[in-house]
Amino acid sequence: MRKHLLALGAVLALSPCLMAQKIGVINSMSGPEAPIGEHITNGIKLAEEDLKKKGINLQLVWEDDTGKPQISMSAMEKLATRDNVVGVVGPYTSACSNAVAKLAEKYRVPLLIPAAAKEEITRQGLKYVFRMNAPADKYASSLIDAAAALGKPKSIAFIYENTDFGTSTTKTAKEYVAKKGMQVVADEPYPKGAADYRSTLAKVKSRNPDLVFMVSYVADAILLMRQSKEVGLQPQAFLGAGAGFTTPEFAKERAISENVISCTQWTGDVNWPGAKEFEARFKAKFGKEPTYHAACAYASMMIMAETARNAGGDRAKTQHGLKAGKWNGVMGEVQFADYDGFTNQNNHQMLVQQIIQGNYETVLPAKFATKKAIFPFPKWK
């Protein structure tokens, strides 16, 4: 009898359901993208709490890539070979995610990207790379369609950082407006983190665009809008393609952020299962509103950890589980599908929001809207 109990104890001790799932996290925890990286970190921390309640213990191995692709690649090498993680959640930026994607494939480590937008990441036929968020083409189409629904814009100017995120998002936007018959009157890439954009903005102003479409992270988004006010750039709408235009840091700059329209992957008022509760918990624990990055990271970790547990910590079985699975939670319905040249891409519903009285309000699609959009953009005060 004692031998049987000892054998049973050994089996239980080694049971995949009881073993901690060793999962890597690559994130921009320092450097210029740290404000968004903080939201990703905090989203994962809430997932860790909820997974523990489900009896799923995590051993997270954190790596800070500082927003630099080379560091991100080194982190992926370490996680795959030395740490032997079952899967990885991250990185944040498009440049870093694109850099590590082929390494995930090389080492056959499931990689679940929560919030990077560059289309190419999931257009390379990589079997071990999955993406939670909608890619760049959805940013462009959702914003352009929103502007067209609100008014009758005929011209557009593009101002965007010359990074993977900026160029990829703007490329798809230009292709989309061409189909809509809209005239591109300015196409202005800029070096990320520059100190002064006034000459660029003055040039854009001289073209008198109906729409100004911007692609930037937080610091540049704030500076671009501040200097747009200074030069008197006055389009029918300022359109911010996610990222820096969807953060609390941007929204609190009310003198320049009010009435800016942006697209987002998630809002706390959307009727997806657990979204409102997630927002309330996040605010209570961290003292700030969660961005879509937090929700994407939370859902990504929940899915990765549950799938890894069900696969007994086996990488190949985890990859198969991610490919075959369907989920419904704070990010709505999630399924990693192959379509339109994408592989393992979640076909996610984008939302359009506007800053109204200092708060992000969902304005489109109509079934998710909490407020009516303010259009056209009011004259600067």
Side-chain angles (χ1 to χ4, degrees):
M1 179 68 176
R2 184 170 180 273
K3 289 182 180 179
H4 287 307
L5 289 173
L6 287 172
L8 177 61
V11 169
L12 289 173
L14 295 174
S15 170
C17 294
L18 298 178
M19 291 171 63
Q21 300 305 316
K22 195 173 186 181
I23 295 173
V25 178
I26 304 176
N27 187 19
S28 300
M29 293 179 277
S30 62
E33 312 328 326
I36 291 176
E38 181 184 357
H39 281 268
I40 290 173
T41 294
N42 291 340
I44 289 172
K45 287 180 179 178
L46 287 185
E48 194 172 13
E49 290 180 3
D50 287 351
L51 288 162
K52 190 172 183 179
K53 292 174 186 175
K54 292 186 172 188
I56 301 175
N57 295 314
L58 294 182
Q59 182 183 348
L60 297 181
V61 185
W62 294 85
E63 294 289 336
D64 179 11
D65 65 15
T66 72
K68 297 177 181 176
Q70 195 58 48
I71 296 176
S72 205
M73 291 172 70
S74 296
M76 188 70 194
E77 291 266 6
K78 174 181 175 292
L79 291 169
T81 59
R82 284 190 283 169
D83 295 315
N84 292 313
V85 298
V86 62
V88 174
V89 172
Y92 164 50
T93 70
S94 287
C96 290
S97 293
N98 201 42
V100 304
K102 286 187 173 64
L103 288 176
E105 196 77 359
K106 174 183 176 182
Y107 292 112
R108 297 177 179 267
V109 179
L111 174 70
L112 180 44
I113 295 165
K118 185 176 183 179
E119 288 190 29
E120 182 188 347
I121 295 167
T122 48
R123 279 186 177 271
Q124 304 174 80
L126 304 177
K127 296 180 180 180
Y128 277 78
V129 179
F130 299 80
R131 176 158 48 187
M132 172 66 62
N133 64 294
D137 64 326
K138 291 290 186 71
Y139 282 77
S141 60
S142 62
L143 280 173
I144 302 303
D145 286 347
L150 295 170
K152 295 181 180 180
K154 297 179 180 178
S155 62
I156 187 168
F158 292 101
I159 306 171
Y160 55 99
E161 60 173 55
N162 57 359
T163 62
D164 280 359
F165 172 48
T167 56
S168 174
T169 304
T170 304
K171 177 178 178 290
T172 60
K174 285 187 284 190
E175 291 169 353
Y176 194 73
V177 298
K179 295 176 184 176
K180 295 288 183 178
M182 201 176 295
Q183 182 184 7
V184 177
V185 296
D187 183 357
E188 298 292 336
Y190 69 83
K192 178 182 172 183
D196 194 335
Y197 301 113
R198 280 171 286 203
S199 61
T200 297
L201 293 165
K203 185 196 297 187
V204 171
K205 179 186 175 183
S206 70
R207 307 290 172 81
N208 194 30
D210 292 331
L211 304 175
V212 173
F213 186 103
M214 296 180 174
V215 189
S216 310
Y217 290 111
V218 182
D220 289 341
I222 293 171
L223 185 57
L224 279 163
M225 287 304 301
R226 186 174 293 146
Q227 294 183 343
S228 291
K229 182 178 181 180
E230 289 177 20
V231 304
L233 179 57
Q234 189 73 51
Q236 292 179 18
F238 285 100
L239 307 177
F245 294 91
T246 62
T247 64
E249 292 82 5
F250 180 76
K252 74 179 182 182
E253 300 283 341
R254 290 189 60 178
I256 52 90
S257 65
E258 190 74 5
N259 301 309
V260 171
I261 296 172
S262 61
C263 54
T264 184
Q265 309 278 347
W266 176 90
T267 63
D269 54 26
V270 77
N271 60 359
W272 295 328
K276 292 180 177 65
E277 293 80 3
F278 175 80
E279 180 184 47
R281 284 178 59 208
F282 193 100
K283 288 166 67 175
K285 188 174 182 68
F286 303 112
K288 61 181 67 176
E289 298 271 354
T291 65
Y292 73 79
H293 312 87
C296 287
Y298 171 87
S300 295
M301 183 55 72
M302 292 293 293
I303 288 171
M304 176 64 83
E306 290 180 358
T307 305
R309 189 275 305 271
N310 294 340
D314 181 270
R315 290 176 177 177
K317 290 180 180 178
T318 300
Q319 184 274 341
H320 178 76
L322 290 171
K323 185 68 175 180
K326 292 182 180 180
W327 301 266
N328 194 14
V330 299
M331 289 295 291
E333 294 182 356
V334 174
Q335 181 177 10
F336 301 111
D338 302 342
Y339 66 93
D340 295 342
F342 290 107
T343 302
N344 299 338
Q345 173 64 58
N346 180 32
N347 193 3
H348 183 63
Q349 168 69 62
M350 291 289 284
L351 306 170
V352 176
Q353 61 184 5
Q354 186 173 33
I355 299 176
I356 301 174
Q357 296 182 345
N359 298 312
Y360 286 105
E361 300 285 354
T362 305
V363 293
L364 288 169
K367 67 178 180 179
F368 296 124
T370 56
K371 289 283 177 69
K372 185 177 179 180
I374 296 170
F375 187 94
F377 187 84
K379 289 189 178 298
W380 290 110
K381 293 180 182 179

